[in-house]
Amino acid sequence: MLQAKNVTKIYGKNKVKAVDSLNLTVNNGEIFGFLGPNGAGKTTLIKMLTGIIQPTEGELFIDGISIKEKPVEAKKQFSFVPDNPETFVRLKAIEYLNFICDVYGISKDERSEKINTLAEKFGIKEVINSRINSFSHGMKQKLFLIASIITDPQNWILDEPMVGLDPEAAFIVKEIMRERASAGKTVFFSTHVMEVAEKLCDRIGIIRKGQLIFTGTLDELMKNHGKGCKSLEDVFLKLIAEN
């Protein structure tokens, strides 16, 4: 479970509120899609939730653990895939995966099986001993997805995970999302791809100018705001324009 309580983030001398008094709960066993236009505050909230930056006000919790008060314990409860997969690019892919396994205390026998299975599934097994800086953006994204899922996190947090992926890899990611939610785990991801959110999510949140303007199921969204709309994209654009 992920929680943000009255969270505000202010940047710069002009005191711009990138996130403004936001409250959000993402439950166990659900896929939650976080939607919003560029600059709405999606990545800022994710960075606060994962402890990369600190909120100006408010509190964030991972499975009831404060990311501010107990950062190490909280970070053990999730894996994170950023929107820009550029970390440790001088390492070989296998070195990076072994590093992640060392951090999370995964045994050599267990990691070997997981790495082989996931590398083959995502189609990068043949380049597992190559340096990351030789990878395309899509291959780096696949590697980061493998690294995030190999730890079997209770909470899977992803920022624009489909960007750069080929259709087959995107399908695999969606399958894994459903599997994890069915197992009672939490999946939280931001996206600009309305079709993915529409077909995949149990609930969605829409943010604009740092404020959460809707949280709920697609049915609730269409019932309350979808008059004259035929799709999530239609009602999303309508809401953004109205607010």
Side-chain angles (χ1 to χ4, degrees):
M1 177 183 287
L2 310 173
Q3 292 176 295
K5 296 185 177 181
N6 297 313
V7 171
T8 295
K9 181 62 180 180
I10 299 174
Y11 285 116
K13 295 181 180 179
N14 294 329
K15 296 186 178 180
V16 175
K17 289 185 178 180
V19 173
D20 186 3
S21 304
L22 188 144
N23 289 281
L24 177 66
T25 298
V26 182
N27 300 307
N28 294 331
E30 75 174 352
I31 302 173
F32 190 97
F34 197 39
L35 314 178
N38 290 337
K42 299 188 301 297
T43 295
T44 297
L45 178 65
I46 288 173
K47 286 183 176 180
M48 289 190 289
L49 193 61
T50 53
I52 296 171
I53 60 175
Q54 293 297 319
T56 306
E57 299 174 4
E59 297 179 282
L60 299 113
F61 300 89
I62 313 292
D63 290 339
I65 303 168
S66 169
I67 191 72
K68 181 179 180 180
E69 301 298 329
K70 297 180 179 180
V72 175
E73 187 175 348
K75 289 175 183 180
K76 290 179 180 178
Q77 310 307 313
F78 70 83
S79 284
F80 171 50
V81 179
D83 60 342
N84 186 24
E86 292 295 340
T87 306
F88 302 125
V89 293
R90 293 186 179 181
L91 292 180
K92 294 179 181 179
I94 189 64
E95 291 173 337
Y96 176 66
L97 293 175
N98 277 318
F99 167 71
I100 295 297
C101 289
D102 287 342
V103 170
Y104 282 85
I106 299 173
S107 70
K108 290 185 177 181
D109 289 341
E110 184 182 358
R111 76 178 64 173
S112 178
E113 182 179 350
K114 285 186 173 182
I115 288 172
N116 286 331
T117 299
L118 288 168
E120 185 170 1
K121 192 169 189 175
F122 278 96
I124 66 167
K125 189 173 182 179
E126 292 183 359
V127 295
I128 200 74
N129 289 302
S130 300
R131 294 193 183 278
I132 300 171
N133 59 12
S134 70
F135 284 14
S136 67
H137 179 92
M139 289 169 65
K140 290 175 184 175
Q141 188 75 348
K142 291 177 183 180
L143 177 64
F144 272 50
L145 286 162
I146 292 170
S148 70
I149 208 67
I150 206 169
T151 64
D152 190 25
Q154 178 61 36
N155 303 278
W156 201 23
I157 303 172
L158 310 101
D159 194 2
E160 295 288 351
M162 307 300 178
V163 174
L165 293 182
D166 55 65
E168 184 178 6
F171 179 79
I172 291 168
V173 172
K174 288 182 278 188
E175 272 194 328
I176 295 173
M177 285 181 174
R178 291 190 184 98
E179 289 169 2
R180 301 199 69 75
S182 296
K185 301 180 187 296
T186 302
V187 177
F188 176 88
F189 75 105
S190 69
T191 185
H192 283 113
V193 186
M194 296 295 140
E195 292 84 357
V196 170
E198 191 167 13
K199 293 178 181 179
L200 192 63
C201 295
D202 298 302
R203 289 196 303 141
I204 60 171
I206 299 176
I207 187 172
R208 181 183 181 275
K209 292 186 177 180
Q211 295 185 330
L212 199 62
I213 59 175
F214 175 80
T215 308
T217 65
L218 182 61
D219 285 344
E220 290 169 342
L221 178 65
M222 298 303 289
K223 180 180 179 181
N224 295 327
H225 303 282
K227 186 176 180 180
C229 299
K230 296 181 179 180
S231 67
L232 173 57
E233 182 177 34
D234 289 343
V235 71
F236 171 80
L237 293 173
K238 177 184 175 183
L239 265 182
I240 294 300
E242 288 177 350
N243 284 273

